[in-house]
Amino acid sequence: MDALAELDRRIADCRACPRLVDWREEVARTKRAAFADWTYWGRPVPGFGAPDARLLIVGLAPAAHGGNRTGRMFTGDRSGDVLYRALYDVGLASQPTSVSAGDGLALHGVRVTSPVHCAPPANKPTPGERDTCRPWLVQELWLLRPTLRAVVVLGAFGWQAALPAFTEAGWSVPRPRPAFAHGKRVELGGLELFGCFHVSQRNTFTGRLTPEMLRDVLRTAATAAGLP
C-alpha cells in the first residue's frame, strides 16, 4: 500500500512530456467558465481505488476539465458520470457519482488508471507520449500483481497502450497481440483481460455503448476477479 501511494506521488510530479505539461497547466490557468471558482489540479492524475484491487479499469487519459480539474481519474466529466454510475449499479462503488477528490467515493476491490496520466490536447496523446508514460503503468501493474485477477480496458487506444505494459509486468500476452473489440476476453496467464468501448460522450450519446452493455462487461469482469 505504501509503495503504491509513493508511486502515485511520483506520477503527480512527472514533467516528462513538454507538450502535455504546457497544455495541462494552461488549462488549469484559463479554466472553463463553469469552473471559474475551482483551483484546478493541473498535474498528472494518478490511479484511484483499492490498493489491493482484484479488478483494474484502464482508460485513456484524464479529461482537461475532468481529472485535470479534480485530481481524480474519471471525475467531474460525462465519461466519469457513466462509469461510476455503472460501477455503483453492479456493487463496485459506494456511490453513483464522482464530483471531487474529497466526495467520499470508495471503490470495492477496484482501481481505475490510464496509460497516459496527463490531459492531452483534443484528448489525443501522441504515440511518443504514450510510450513515455508506459513505465508508470508497468510499475502500477507490478504493485497490483499479487491481488489483480481481471482488467477492463476502455477503448482501442487504451488496449493498444496496455498490452505492452502487461508483457513488461510479467503476464503472457498472445502473439500476435489480440485486436480490440467490445466484449473481447483474453486470458493472459492468471489475468483475464476484457475489452469495452470507451465511456466517451461520442459512444454513450450515440448508443454505441449503452449503460447495460457497460454493466454486463463490469459484471463479467468482477466475477472473473472473484468479487461479490
Side-chain angles (χ1 to χ4, degrees):
M1 187 180 302
D2 290 343
L4 192 58
E6 175 60 24
L7 177 65
D8 290 344
R9 285 192 290 269
R10 289 169 55 212
I11 289 171
D13 288 337
C14 184
R15 301 182 66 84
C17 298
R19 186 183 80 113
L20 298 187
V21 172
D22 289 347
W23 172 252
R24 79 193 192 208
E25 293 181 353
E26 176 65 18
V27 168
R29 283 192 298 270
T30 59
K31 307 182 182 181
R32 177 178 283 170
F35 306 121
D37 58 342
W38 277 74
T39 299
Y40 273 52
W41 173 254
R43 302 165 68 189
V45 182
F48 165 69
D52 57 350
R54 299 182 66 85
L55 172 61
L56 182 66
I57 297 172
V58 178
L60 189 162
H65 300 283
N68 190 56
R69 170 172 59 91
T70 67
R72 181 198 282 164
M73 285 287 178
F74 282 109
T75 293
D77 60 29
R78 295 289 181 86
S79 295
D81 292 345
V82 174
L83 177 62
Y84 287 115
R85 175 79 231 192
L87 286 169
Y88 175 78
D89 288 345
V90 301
L92 298 176
S94 64
Q95 60 191 47
T97 59
S98 181
V99 296
S100 70
D103 62 8
L105 174 67
L107 302 182
H108 307 315
V110 177
R111 185 171 171 86
V112 179
T113 193
S114 67
V116 176
H117 286 277
C118 290
N123 293 321
K124 293 181 179 180
T126 67
E129 290 161 351
R130 174 201 65 198
D131 294 345
T132 297
C133 210
R134 181 180 299 138
W136 294 126
L137 180 57
V138 174
Q139 292 177 62
E140 189 171 14
L141 290 170
W142 271 113
L143 293 173
L144 294 172
R145 190 179 173 96
T147 59
L148 193 62
R149 298 295 177 266
V151 179
V152 173
V153 180
L154 302 173
F157 180 96
W159 183 272
Q160 294 163 1
L163 288 179
F166 292 127
T167 298
E168 292 182 41
W171 280 287
S172 299
V173 176
R175 285 296 212 176
R177 288 177 181 163
F180 171 80
H182 180 81
K184 185 93 166 189
R185 182 171 183 170
V186 181
E187 206 282 321
L188 302 184
L191 185 71
E192 296 287 333
L193 177 64
F194 297 85
C196 179
F197 289 141
H198 196 278
V199 287
S200 66
Q201 291 187 53
R202 177 180 296 179
N203 286 340
T204 57
F205 284 6
T206 62
R208 188 180 192 216
L209 178 67
T210 66
E212 186 55 39
M213 289 168 65
L214 178 58
R215 289 192 295 265
D216 283 347
V217 172
L218 292 174
R219 287 193 193 99
T220 303
T223 298
L227 293 171

